[in-house]
Amino acid sequence: MTPKILLVEDTPDIALWLGTALRQGGMAVHFATDGLEADRCLQPRHGFDAVLLDLQLPGQDGLSVLQALRARGDAVPVLILTARANVPDRVLGLNMGADDYLPKPFDLSELEARLQVLLRRHGRAKSSALRWGPLELQPETGAVHLHGQMLALTKREAAALRVLLESPQRTVSKETLHAEVFADEATGLDAVEVLIYRLRKKLETGAAQSGQPLNVMITTFRGMGYMLTLPSGQA
């Protein structure tokens, strides 16, 4: 039981890169290389859980595919991927029924995170795991993996990370983290700072051990709290 994704992309290198990454992330990927093929794949009872849709396609452009899909009353989540980064194109795509919009070039971690948010929002996620790019937490067990490698976290560290993962792209206040992690224990807010410091160190160590860049970070927003972010320059 894995999410079934339709990837509509006519550039072979990009399609191969994305398809490989999504499959490694536990998704089943079906490819369409032009708009006509995509439209055929998206006929009623297609069974896809989400669509990654390029706009500049041969045969039939992506907006036409999207328009026909929504005209059939199909609410499958659609994430547009395109080199058209100007505001009018984004507004047009969203007004025609797209759920999200990611301009090229984009970071793979951000794509995976946005896709997971769409799947959860539409009740199409087949796994209860919380993900942000290469970071994954299993709520049932508290197990945390980074780039597929398990991190040795304490219960409090895992609890803090879960709170952050449950609020992607939103700031979580120090007070909220304290209430969620320390409950009624007689500890001050400084304990949250220490906890976040240790969590950051373990993320750095985990990335280094896996031989991968640290492409998920816990960023401090002074006076506001903490947020899971991508490294500067990779948005």
Side-chain angles (χ1 to χ4, degrees):
M1 292 268 298
T2 57
K4 186 179 179 183
I5 310 299
L6 176 63
L7 174 56
V8 188
E9 171 60 62
D10 66 319
T11 305
D13 290 347
I14 295 178
L16 178 61
W17 170 59
L18 287 178
T20 300
L22 293 173
R23 283 171 173 161
Q24 289 176 345
M27 300 185 187
V29 182
H30 182 88
F31 296 92
T33 57
D34 61 57
L36 295 175
E37 183 182 1
D39 188 64
R40 288 193 296 270
C41 290
L42 290 170
Q43 292 303 306
R45 297 181 294 279
H46 53 70
F48 291 107
D49 294 297
V51 180
L52 299 179
L53 179 64
D54 188 24
L55 291 188
Q56 296 175 312
L57 298 168
Q60 183 176 341
D61 65 53
L63 288 179
S64 297
V65 173
L66 176 62
Q67 186 176 34
L69 179 71
R70 295 305 188 227
R72 293 191 289 270
D74 195 323
V76 63
V78 175
L79 173 57
I80 288 179
L81 307 174
T82 181
R84 302 180 190 175
N86 60 74
V87 173
D89 280 333
R90 277 184 285 177
V91 171
L92 180 59
L94 294 171
N95 284 341
M96 291 179 67
D99 295 87
D100 202 354
Y101 197 110
L102 193 58
K104 299 177 181 177
F106 51 81
D107 183 86
L108 182 59
S109 297
E110 183 174 7
L111 169 64
E112 291 175 331
R114 286 175 181 252
L115 183 55
Q116 287 295 336
V117 169
L118 286 183
L119 290 169
R120 290 198 300 271
R121 183 186 301 161
H122 290 260
R124 294 171 180 264
K126 300 300 189 298
S127 170
S128 60
L130 299 172
R131 294 188 178 91
W132 177 257
L135 186 64
E136 177 182 302
L137 183 148
Q138 294 289 344
E140 297 85 357
T141 64
V144 177
H145 291 81
L146 179 65
H147 293 294
Q149 302 295 318
M150 181 175 286
L151 297 182
L153 303 186
T154 66
K155 288 184 178 180
R156 286 176 178 169
E157 291 165 351
L161 188 58
R162 175 174 180 167
V163 175
L164 294 171
L165 285 166
E166 287 175 339
S167 302
Q169 298 180 297
R170 288 185 293 177
T171 305
V172 179
S173 70
K174 188 183 298 183
E175 291 78 9
T176 296
L177 281 168
H178 187 275
E180 292 286 342
V181 176
F182 294 97
D184 297 327
E185 296 181 31
T187 57
L189 290 178
D190 289 349
V192 175
E193 297 181 8
V194 175
L195 188 64
I196 293 297
Y197 173 82
R198 294 205 310 257
L199 194 49
R200 283 173 173 151
K201 288 298 182 182
K202 289 190 177 180
L203 289 174
E204 293 172 2
T205 300
Q209 290 176 344
S210 66
Q212 300 289 336
L214 181 61
N215 51 9
V216 57
M217 303 173 68
I218 302 174
T219 299
T220 300
F221 291 87
R222 190 171 299 278
M224 298 175 62
Y226 306 94
M227 183 192 299
L228 286 174
T229 63
L230 300 172
S232 176
Q234 292 191 22

